Amino acid sequence: MKKYIKWVFKSILILIVLIIALMIIIPYFFKDEIMNKVKSEINKNVRAKVEFADFKLSLFRSFPDFNLGLYNLSVIGIDKFDGDTLMYFKSFNVQVDLMSALKKNVMVKGIVLDQPLINAKVLADSSANWDIMIPSEEVADTVAEEDVSDESDDFNLQLKKFQIIDGQIIYDDATSDMLASINNLNFLLKGNFGLDYSDLNIKTTIDAINVKMSGIQYLKNTRFGFDATIGADMVKSIYTFKDNLLTLNDIALAFDGSVEMPGDDINVDMRFNTKNTSFKSILSMVPAIYMQGFEQLKTNGNLVLEGDVKGTLTDSITPSANLRLLVENAMFQYPDLPKSVDNINIDLKVFYDGINNDNTKVDLNKFHLEMAGNPFDIVMHVSTPMSDPQIQGAIDGHIILSTFKDILPLDSTKIDGEIIADIELDGKMSSIENEKYEDFKAIGKLQLKDFIYESPDFPQPVKIIETTLDFTPKYLNLQSFIAQIGKSDFNLNGKIENYIAYALKDEILKGNFNFTSSLIDANEFMTESTEEVTVTDSAEVPMTVFEVPANIDFRLQSSLSHILYSKMDITNLKGVFVVKDKKVLMENLTMNMLDGKIGLTGEYNTQDIQKPAVKMALDISDIEITSAVNSIEMLGKMASILEKCKGKVSVKLNYEGLLDSTMSPVLNSIEGYGRLQSKEIEVVNSETLSTLFKLVKLGDNTGNSFKDVNVSFKISEGRINVEPFDTKVGDIKMTVGGSHGVDQTMDYDVALNIPMKYFGSAANEAVSGLLDLAGSKGLNIDKVESITINAKIVGTTTDPKITLGKSSAGGENKSVKEQLVDQTKTKAKEEISAQAQKIIADAEKEAAKLKDEAQVAADKLLQQTTQEADALVKKAAKEGPLAKIAAEKSASVLKKEAKKKADDLVKEAGVKADKLVEEAKIKADKLGSGN
């Protein structure tokens, strides 16, 4: 018996050891397979860098299930978000049923996320860093359909626990200028999703919620909590709220009701109300109030916040909702401040009809408070918002802003000035639309005077000397807006139309303004809100793309005397800015800049905010190249060759292209054309020009100034294509054409027409071989003035590659001697041709003279004969009719004989003249043939 007991004990001991050994061995047995599976699934489905420091499998942590843990798991962005962390987990643990894993039908029973960090970011072009999932159609290209169907049953979710420990979430959205964060998030969900019915226990706490938008802090260190027990009927999909409490700072809302999801529709029947009826609880939500010293705040008054949500959510309708906020006879005062806010009374009712939205009503029956004795009242009623919005309301108040320091702890913030409001509105939207303004009441005035605001959050003090808005049914009359921010001043007046339709129906708000300023120093506004950044370096802070509102139609007739922006100094800017259809249009702007004049017409287009675009037509006169390159970054990137140039240029440029998230041009997207002109451009320390002149062996006397530059160019696909143009460097003529790119590569053809004096002994040697030829013709070899050399320039602006012998037509260069021979022969031919032409010209001149003299003699003969014949007839007429007839017959004979003699004279001269010209041509031909 003892042996049997000993054997049993030993067997149990061996079994225990074996079980422990298996618990240790099994995780390692499956580790590689699961590791490969995890990495394979991740790599197939995301566009990001996913890393984890360790991967562990354990049967001890959640026996009899096993625990899969990824440690120091991170998801790092690529492309636009290269290096940015999207997610990080200290550990990511999944509890898996062991038997399901062995059967390769994984059943997930629990998930725990320890210290997760989620950093969500949206750029100005709407690119989101969480958009990392590869589209399913792309995944399908690498995974066969049968494999997908086989793997669809590999995972089965039967959660009993989902937990987040000490989480942090950051949301940064540049499109809406919003920054939100959640700190120390703890979330625990317990239940059994595998049962037909289970109570789901939820416990959530957040230590701090912060929301800041457009510089305004809406939530500051707001605490959040949610404790709930929800009865979940998994079969009928009915979820019943039992004991539930939601808290925001000191506001506690209790919920009860149910949510049913029997099919695609969702039935909601929920009610809520405040557990804490102290007015102080609602003050805890105000960022300016909720700060150090809040606990000692003296308050009084009652609060009621209640409502319900009831109805069905479908594709066409939503549940209806009621909300009521009631505050009665409340006040608050800080213990260390002398004045209080008293007589706070609020009565707000909101009804939203989810079936017929037009039945929705907003009734602000009362909003009254007195700040340090300054009363402020608002009453507002809105009904039939969908069909014909009807509004009836009034605003009445006079607030002395300097009293804020007596009622609120503003720390280092300074605020002063007066707000005067006396406005009444009553009528229907249809009255405005039908231009029956007499049926709509809109009268009153809103005025802000002597306003001053200084805060560490703003780089410069804001001063509004005066702004006054007069209300009429048709428009708001902006009598004046006189403001100063730092050294900059702004003066605005005009009319704002359609403001009621804009407020009630989100229609287009129209405005027409006159805008003037003596100085706008934009660099003062660009300082980041950090201590390290100063006004001096704020000019280097990049801009970000901003979306132009779609429902704004503003026209600003502008006259701005002086503008400082980044490194640009602009004066006397005049023209029109139009804000419309998500675009800013610039119409016929003129300005003085860079010691010259600029005319500009163009647009900034955000109709596709993911691809913001610009279109510009520039007419620039006499600007200094060095200043332009230093001030306009785009010039240096597009045409780096300009960085080596000095002088004044005039440019006409039309282009369009895209912008990146920092408002910088996407250079490869620019398409355009233009012309650049200059009387003289000096090129300083140009590696390309220096290499070219050394290769041609021109010495150091060539100079570096280009004269009479007139360049036409086109911009396309990241290259500037230059049409061939003529210029001069000293007395060297050049023809240049080709292209260069934003990558600084070059591809140019250059033809240099170089005077012979630059070639020294080489030229003399070539000339001596031609003396006999020149002498035999009586020509002067000194008349050969220059030769032409062709060059090909490639490489980059900093590392040019130049070869001689290739012209734009692909022909080979000739030697100096060959070019001199060619030019001497050409000169000889030109001089012989000139002599021949002179012989012929002289003969033709002499021939013309002979003809002219013969014609003069013939005309004189005819004239004398006519006079003699006429005198004969006249004399005979005195002697009688018979004598006259005989005289006329004799006169006719005389004239015929004279005519014949005259014709003979002209004919004879013509024969002589033609013979003279013919002989000259024979002589010229002999001269040309060398005989």
Side-chain angles (χ1 to χ4, degrees):
M1 186 68 179
K2 289 183 178 179
K3 288 183 178 181
Y4 177 75
I5 293 173
K6 187 175 181 180
W7 178 83
V8 171
F9 178 78
K10 184 182 292 186
S11 298
I12 292 173
L13 183 61
I14 292 172
L15 180 62
I16 291 173
V17 172
L18 180 62
I19 291 173
I20 293 173
L22 287 173
M23 291 176 69
I24 296 172
I25 294 170
I26 286 175
Y28 287 96
F29 181 76
F30 288 104
K31 182 174 182 179
D32 290 340
E33 182 179 348
I34 297 178
M35 168 107 48
N36 293 333
K37 179 72 172 177
V38 170
K39 288 186 176 180
S40 174
E41 290 300 317
I42 291 174
N43 291 331
K44 285 192 300 185
N45 290 280
V46 299
R47 292 192 183 99
K49 298 176 183 177
V50 180
E51 304 286 348
F52 45 89
D54 197 8
F55 175 85
K56 294 182 180 179
L57 292 171
S58 173
L59 278 170
F60 291 100
R61 185 166 182 170
S62 53
F63 185 80
D65 302 320
F66 77 84
N67 187 82
L68 182 155
L70 297 176
Y71 294 86
N72 294 323
L73 172 65
S74 63
V75 180
I76 310 296
I78 60 175
D79 299 331
K80 293 182 180 180
F81 301 97
D82 188 30
D84 288 348
T85 299
L86 170 59
M87 286 187 292
Y88 171 82
F89 301 90
K90 183 178 180 181
S91 66
F92 187 114
N93 290 281
V94 180
Q95 181 182 342
V96 179
D97 180 87
L98 176 60
M99 297 307 296
S100 72
L102 293 174
K103 295 176 183 179
K104 295 189 177 181
N105 183 18
V106 179
M107 182 184 296
V108 178
K109 301 174 74 173
I111 298 175
V112 178
L113 310 179
D114 187 14
Q115 297 184 31
L117 167 64
I118 299 175
N119 183 25
K121 182 180 291 187
V122 182
L123 300 180
D125 62 2
S126 297
S127 301
N129 68 340
W130 63 81
D131 186 16
I132 62 173
M133 299 304 297
I134 297 175
S136 57
E137 59 270 16
E138 294 184 25
V139 177
D141 291 340
T142 57
V143 181
E145 291 186 6
E146 58 270 21
D147 292 339
V148 175
S149 62
D150 290 343
E151 294 179 2
S152 63
D153 296 329
D154 282 357
F155 296 95
N156 185 8
L157 190 66
Q158 291 197 8
L159 277 178
K160 292 184 179 180
K161 176 183 178 181
F162 180 77
Q163 187 174 13
I164 299 174
I165 302 172
D166 194 15
Q168 183 178 9
I169 301 174
I170 301 171
Y171 178 71
D172 186 356
D173 190 343
T175 63
S176 57
D177 192 17
M178 177 181 178
L179 180 63
S181 64
I182 293 175
N183 295 322
N184 199 16
L185 164 65
N186 289 279
F187 175 84
L188 178 62
L189 169 64
K190 285 187 175 182
N192 193 336
F193 287 87
L195 299 178
D196 291 344
Y197 184 89
S198 176
D199 278 348
L200 305 180
N201 297 303
I202 300 173
K203 183 175 180 63
T204 307
T205 61
I206 298 175
D207 285 354
I209 303 174
N210 290 280
V211 178
K212 189 173 185 179
M213 185 180 294
S214 300
I216 300 175
Q217 190 83 40
Y218 289 94
L219 295 176
K220 181 177 181 180
N221 294 332
T222 300
R223 293 178 283 107
F224 174 85
F226 183 52
D227 289 342
T229 299
I230 301 174
D233 187 334
M234 303 299 182
V235 177
K236 297 180 181 180
S237 294
I238 299 176
Y239 303 89
T240 303
F241 287 78
K242 296 182 177 180
D243 299 323
N244 304 279
L245 186 67
L246 184 150
T247 60
L248 285 171
N249 287 342
D250 289 353
I251 295 179
L253 292 177
F255 287 83
D256 67 82
S258 64
V259 176
E260 301 180 13
M261 295 183 288
D264 293 335
D265 298 343
I266 301 175
N267 299 319
V268 180
D269 186 1
M270 299 287 297
R271 292 159 297 281
F272 61 89
N273 64 282
T274 53
K275 289 291 186 181
N276 189 342
T277 59
S278 168
F279 174 68
K280 188 175 182 179
S281 63
I282 198 170
L283 287 183
S284 70
M285 293 301 300
V286 182
I289 301 294
Y290 195 64
M291 55 182 66
Q292 188 175 3
F294 174 77
E295 296 300 329
Q296 290 75 42
L297 188 69
K298 177 183 177 182
T299 66
N300 198 2
N302 298 317
L303 165 72
V304 174
L305 178 61
E306 60 185 10
D308 60 70
V309 180
K310 188 173 184 178
T312 303
L313 176 63
T314 70
D315 292 337
S316 57
I317 63 173
T318 60
S320 298
N322 284 284
L323 172 70
R324 187 186 184 197
L325 173 64
L326 183 65
V327 177
E328 294 180 319
N329 301 319
M331 60 80 64
F332 70 86
Q333 182 179 9
Y334 275 87
D336 297 330
L337 296 177
K339 296 182 181 180
S340 59
V341 178
D342 302 300
N343 295 328
I344 303 172
N345 288 274
I346 303 173
D347 183 0
L348 172 65
K349 293 181 180 179
V350 178
F351 168 66
Y352 168 73
D353 192 328
I355 299 175
N356 184 359
N357 297 162
D358 203 40
N359 291 332
T360 299
K361 289 185 178 180
V362 178
D363 291 306
L364 180 59
N365 299 307
K366 178 183 286 187
F367 181 93
H368 174 83
L369 54 80
E370 296 171 11
M371 292 180 287
N374 299 309
F376 192 80
D377 291 273
I378 302 176
V379 176
M380 193 68 63
H381 303 279
V382 180
S383 59
T384 61
M386 308 305 293
S387 61
D388 187 10
Q390 182 169 0
I391 183 171
Q392 186 274 319
I395 302 175
D396 186 13
H398 185 188
I399 299 176
I400 307 299
L401 295 174
S402 61
T403 61
F404 277 22
K405 68 179 184 300
D406 296 328
I407 58 177
L408 297 175
L410 298 180
D411 295 333
S412 55
T413 299
K414 177 184 178 181
I415 187 169
D416 202 351
E418 291 182 70
I419 299 176
I420 302 171
D422 184 9
I423 304 165
E424 291 185 54
L425 302 171
D426 190 0
K428 294 183 177 181
M429 188 68 232
S430 57
S431 300
I432 301 297
E433 293 175 338
N434 297 324
E435 299 185 359
K436 294 182 178 180
Y437 301 110
E438 67 277 5
D439 295 337
F440 195 103
K441 182 179 182 181
I443 58 174
K445 179 178 292 189
L446 177 63
Q447 190 172 36
L448 179 63
K449 298 193 302 183
D450 300 325
F451 175 80
I452 299 175
Y453 182 80
E454 297 181 21
S455 168
D457 294 333
F458 281 74
Q460 297 295 330
V462 177
K463 298 179 182 179
I464 301 177
I465 290 82
E466 180 186 6
T467 182
T468 302
L469 275 173
D470 290 328
F471 284 71
T472 73
K474 188 175 181 179
Y475 57 82
L476 296 174
N477 183 23
L478 180 63
Q479 288 188 10
S480 62
F481 177 84
I482 305 171
Q484 184 175 339
I485 302 177
K487 295 179 291 186
S488 305
D489 62 271
F490 306 86
N491 295 274
L492 202 67
N493 63 70
K495 292 182 178 180
I496 303 173
E497 300 180 90
N498 211 40
Y499 71 97
I500 296 174
Y502 172 78
L504 298 180
K505 298 185 71 175
D506 200 28
E507 292 187 5
I508 295 176
L509 183 67
K510 299 180 179 180
N512 202 327
F513 306 96
N514 294 311
F515 177 34
T516 61
S517 172
S518 61
L519 172 64
I520 298 177
D521 187 351
N523 296 331
E524 290 186 315
F525 313 148
M526 297 171 63
T527 304
E528 292 179 338
S529 57
T530 61
E531 295 179 0
E532 291 80 12
V533 179
T534 65
V535 174
T536 302
D537 58 18
S538 65
E540 303 301 326
V541 178
M543 295 182 66
T544 57
V545 167
F546 64 93
E547 185 172 10
V548 180
N551 54 352
I552 297 290
D553 185 358
F554 283 175
R555 184 178 181 87
L556 282 78
Q557 183 70 49
S558 305
S559 179
L560 313 177
S561 299
H562 195 183
I563 302 172
L564 298 174
Y565 169 64
S566 188
K567 299 176 182 177
M568 291 185 285
D569 191 336
I570 303 169
T571 61
N572 197 29
L573 186 150
K574 297 183 183 296
V576 178
F577 293 91
V578 177
V579 182
K580 184 178 182 180
D581 298 331
K582 290 192 173 183
K583 297 190 291 187
V584 176
L585 307 176
M586 292 151 278
E587 298 180 352
N588 301 320
L589 297 187
T590 61
M591 66 196 82
N592 297 328
M593 178 180 167
L594 307 174
D595 297 324
K597 295 182 178 180
I598 297 179
L600 184 152
T601 295
E603 69 177 41
Y604 166 67
N605 188 330
T606 62
Q607 291 176 338
D608 183 353
I609 190 58
Q610 296 186 15
K611 295 181 179 179
V614 290
K615 183 184 294 184
M616 295 289 177
L618 295 164
D619 188 354
I620 304 172
S621 300
D622 294 327
I623 65 168
E624 176 59 47
I625 297 176
T626 303
S627 300
V629 172
N630 290 337
S631 301
I632 306 173
E633 185 180 4
M634 170 186 161
L635 288 178
K637 290 182 176 180
M638 284 297 297
S640 60
I641 192 172
L642 293 177
E643 295 178 350
K644 304 289 186 179
C645 297
K646 293 182 179 180
K648 288 194 172 185
V649 295
S650 296
V651 180
K652 289 188 176 181
L653 173 62
N654 291 63
Y655 77 92
E656 56 186 76
L658 302 178
L659 299 174
D660 63 18
S661 59
T662 65
M663 294 284 282
S664 297
V666 180
L667 300 179
N668 288 330
S669 73
I670 295 176
E671 297 287 330
Y673 61 92
R675 178 178 291 275
L676 180 147
Q677 296 174 299
S678 177
K679 293 181 179 179
E680 182 176 4
I681 295 178
E682 181 183 359
V683 180
V684 182
N685 298 325
S686 169
E687 187 69 25
T688 302
L689 193 63
S690 177
T691 302
L692 175 62
F693 285 171
K694 286 180 180 179
L695 194 60
V696 182
K697 299 180 179 179
L698 296 181
D700 299 327
N701 301 317
T702 53
N704 59 351
S705 292
F706 289 78
K707 305 288 187 179
D708 300 323
V709 177
N710 190 344
V711 183
S712 294
F713 58 88
K714 292 182 180 179
I715 306 173
S716 181
E717 298 180 351
R719 296 198 71 81
I720 299 179
N721 300 287
V722 178
E723 296 181 8
F725 68 95
D726 295 327
T727 184
K728 292 179 68 176
V729 179
D731 53 359
I732 299 174
K733 297 179 181 179
M734 298 178 66
T735 300
V736 183
S739 69
H740 62 267
V742 297
D743 57 358
Q744 313 309 323
T745 59
M746 299 184 295
D747 185 4
Y748 280 101
D749 293 307
V750 181
L752 300 94
N753 186 259
I754 306 170
M756 282 179 29
K757 66 182 181 181
Y758 289 98
F759 296 100
S761 60
N764 294 331
E765 179 185 349
V767 171
S768 64
L770 300 174
L771 291 179
D772 292 340
L773 175 63
S776 63
K777 300 299 178 184
L779 301 178
N780 187 355
I781 195 65
D782 294 335
K783 292 185 178 180
V784 179
E785 298 176 351
S786 63
I787 64 169
T788 299
I789 294 179
N790 296 307
K792 186 73 172 179
I793 303 175
V794 294
T796 66
T797 52
T798 56
D799 185 20
K801 309 295 184 185
I802 303 176
T803 56
L804 301 181
K806 295 291 184 181
S807 67
S808 58
E812 296 290 336
N813 276 316
K814 294 183 178 182
S815 68
V816 174
K817 185 173 181 179
E818 288 173 329
Q819 289 197 48
L820 288 170
V821 170
D822 289 342
Q823 291 189 46
T824 302
K825 290 180 178 179
T826 300
K827 288 287 185 180
K829 290 179 180 180
E830 289 175 353
E831 291 199 9
I832 290 171
S833 176
Q835 290 178 13
Q837 290 176 8
K838 185 176 185 305
I839 291 171
I840 295 173
D842 290 345
E844 288 176 342
K845 183 177 180 181
E846 184 65 27
K849 182 179 179 182
L850 289 174
K851 290 180 179 180
D852 290 341
E853 291 176 349
Q855 187 64 54
V856 170
D859 291 341
K860 185 176 180 180
L861 175 62
L862 289 174
Q863 183 181 11
Q864 290 177 348
T865 303
T866 300
Q867 290 176 352
E868 291 175 359
D870 291 342
L872 181 62
V873 172
K874 184 177 181 181
K875 182 178 178 182
K878 294 179 180 179
E879 297 177 358
L882 293 176
K884 182 180 179 183
I885 292 172
E888 287 176 348
K889 187 175 181 180
S890 298
S892 177
V893 173
L894 289 174
K895 289 180 179 180
K896 286 180 181 181
E897 291 176 351
K899 179 68 169 64
K900 185 177 182 304
K901 289 180 180 180
D903 291 342
D904 290 342
L905 285 174
V906 172
K907 184 177 180 180
E908 184 180 353
V911 172
K912 290 180 179 181
D914 292 342
K915 185 178 180 181
L916 185 62
V917 172
E918 186 64 27
E919 291 175 348
K921 288 180 177 180
I922 293 172
K923 185 177 180 181
D925 290 341
K926 289 181 178 180
L927 180 63
S929 63
N931 295 325

